[in-house]
């Protein structure tokens, strides 16, 4: 089950995992993108279903998990990937953006975990992969609120690991550096957008992160890849 499957890393992960035989449940808000991805996967011989889902809705996340359980009987892996990065200076008081990024990047991850944990605990098996970022390790100007959410994702993932390892549930943090995707489109301040655009000139393909996700999933059940940091070779910070 992948949130934010309609573009970037989520879409690349869906294609990578489908090519390896995973049965996918794709989630995001843009139905046209999900439908096209489902068709692409099916045309390549893979299996995917989708459900339009807003991760900021606890109810919709519960419905997504219920749909996955009805269709496939179990949820082996949740990839909490949906995210926004509307970077700005604090003094600009872009409070709507702060609220949105906290709702999607933190509460969305928590609601994803809440939706899948009961069935994973019952089966004593499961894997939850949360997308953090280099910004979950390093804070820079304009990325303050985004970095706070990505630090929170790492804290949540580590707490989840400590609470659920004895139930055989694996927790993985994936922390990418600059990756080509639509992520920088949520930046509204033109100066910040230009500065981030400079950094993203060296961005790597989303497939690099998809391969890392697949690696974590493919390990034997007694091996938990708890964290990966994946930067472009030429990215300094
Ligand atoms: N690209 C990078 O450089 C980079 C670096 C570090 C970490 N990351 C993290 O990687 C993850 C994926 O980002 P990306 O780079 O692939 O960006 P992206 O291309 O912008 O994809 C973001 C995805 O999140 C979904 N999304 C946003 N708000 C949502 C909501 N309320 N409900 C459901 N889905 C929502 C979007 O789908 P809809 O709009 O269709 O809902 C989209 O599929 C994010 O968590 C991001 O923070 C990315």
């Amino acid at each position: 089950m992948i949130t934010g499957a309609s573009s970037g890393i989520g879409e690349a992960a869906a294609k990578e995992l489908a090519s390896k035989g995973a049965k996918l449940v794709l989630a995001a808000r843009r139905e046209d993108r999900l439908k096209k991805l489902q068709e692409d996967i099916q045309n390549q011989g893979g299996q995917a279903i989708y459900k339009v889902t807003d991760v900021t809705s606890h109810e919709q996340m519960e419905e997504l998990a219920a749909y996955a359980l009805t269709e496939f009987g179990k949820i082996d892996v949740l990839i909490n990937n949906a995210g926004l990065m509307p970077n700005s200076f604090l003094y600009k008081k872009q409070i709507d953006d702060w609220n949105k990024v906290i709702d999607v990047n933190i509460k969305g991850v928590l609601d994803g975990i809440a939706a899948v944990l009961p069935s994973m605990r019952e089966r004593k098996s499961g894997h939850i992969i949360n997308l953090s970022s280099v910004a979950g390790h390093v804070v820079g100007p304009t990325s303050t609120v985004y970095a706070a959410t990505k630090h929170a994702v790492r804290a949540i993932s580590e707490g989840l690991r400590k609470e659920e390892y004895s139930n055989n549930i694996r927790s993985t943090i994936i922390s990418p550096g600059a990756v080509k995707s639509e992520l920088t489109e949520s930046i509204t301040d033109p100066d910040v957008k230009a500065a981030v655009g400079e950094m993203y000139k060296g961005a790597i393909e989303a497939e690099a992160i998809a391969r890392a996700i697949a690696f974590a999933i493919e390990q034997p059940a007694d091996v938990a890849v708890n964290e990966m940091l994946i930067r472009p070779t030429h990215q300094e910070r």
Side-chain angles (χ1 to χ4, degrees):
M1 191 164 111
I2 308 180
T3 67
S6 59
S7 71
I9 293 168
E11 180 181 355
K15 288 181 174 164
E16 176 76 15
L17 297 171
S19 76
K20 291 172 176 284
K23 296 175 185 169
L24 294 157
V25 182
L26 313 168
R29 292 165 305 173
R30 287 171 294 178
E31 184 164 18
D32 55 333
R33 298 283 199 100
L34 293 175
K35 199 167 187 315
K36 167 86 172 50
L37 177 59
Q38 181 196 34
E39 285 164 7
D40 288 351
I41 287 171
Q42 283 171 348
N43 290 340
Q44 297 294 316
Q47 281 191 66
I49 56 174
Y50 74 82
K51 188 161 176 50
V52 173
T53 305
D54 186 328
V55 299
T56 66
S57 160
H58 178 72
E59 290 73 25
Q60 288 184 31
M61 287 303 288
E62 294 285 337
E63 285 164 17
L64 175 67
Y67 180 54
L69 289 171
T70 303
E71 294 296 315
F72 293 134
K74 61 187 174 118
I75 300 166
D76 293 315
V77 185
L78 164 65
I79 307 175
N80 265 323
N81 164 76
L84 299 177
M85 188 180 75
N87 286 4
S88 62
F89 285 101
L90 292 173
Y91 80 87
K92 296 256 173 132
K93 297 210 273 191
Q94 293 188 200
I95 289 162
D96 283 351
D97 280 346
W98 300 351
N99 286 331
K100 258 190 241 159
V101 74
I102 288 167
D103 281 348
V104 175
N105 294 12
I106 302 180
K107 293 186 192 166
V109 166
L110 284 171
D111 282 340
I113 293 169
V116 302
L117 261 190
S119 67
M120 287 184 176
R121 282 172 61 91
E122 204 174 304
R123 287 176 51 232
K124 293 221 177 303
S125 173
H127 191 171
I128 298 177
I129 300 178
N130 295 326
L131 267 288
S132 178
S133 169
V134 165
H137 298 256
V138 181
V139 186
T142 77
S143 76
T144 309
V145 180
Y146 178 72
T149 68
K150 292 303 185 179
H151 277 70
V153 169
R154 291 186 58 234
I156 291 164
S157 306
E158 179 60 0
L160 171 71
R161 184 184 77 75
K162 289 200 169 136
E163 290 185 21
E164 297 298 342
Y165 73 89
S166 57
N167 285 321
N168 219 23
I169 295 171
R170 302 188 294 182
S171 163
T172 299
I173 304 162
I174 302 278
S175 294
V179 175
K180 287 180 203 163
S181 75
E182 297 172 16
L183 193 69
T184 58
E185 288 175 19
S186 59
I187 302 173
T188 50
D189 183 316
D191 294 336
V192 175
K193 198 166 193 163
V196 173
E198 259 321 293
M199 186 187 152
Y200 271 71
K201 280 185 179 162
I204 52 176
E205 301 293 334
E207 287 71 21
I209 310 305
R211 290 193 299 273
I213 291 170
F215 176 82
I217 294 171
E218 282 164 358
Q219 298 311 301
D222 62 345
V223 178
V225 177
N226 294 129
E227 179 149 28
M228 283 198 226
L229 251 169
I230 307 135
R231 291 185 177 88
T233 305
H234 291 284
Q235 180 175 324
E236 187 200 351
R237 73 183 173 93

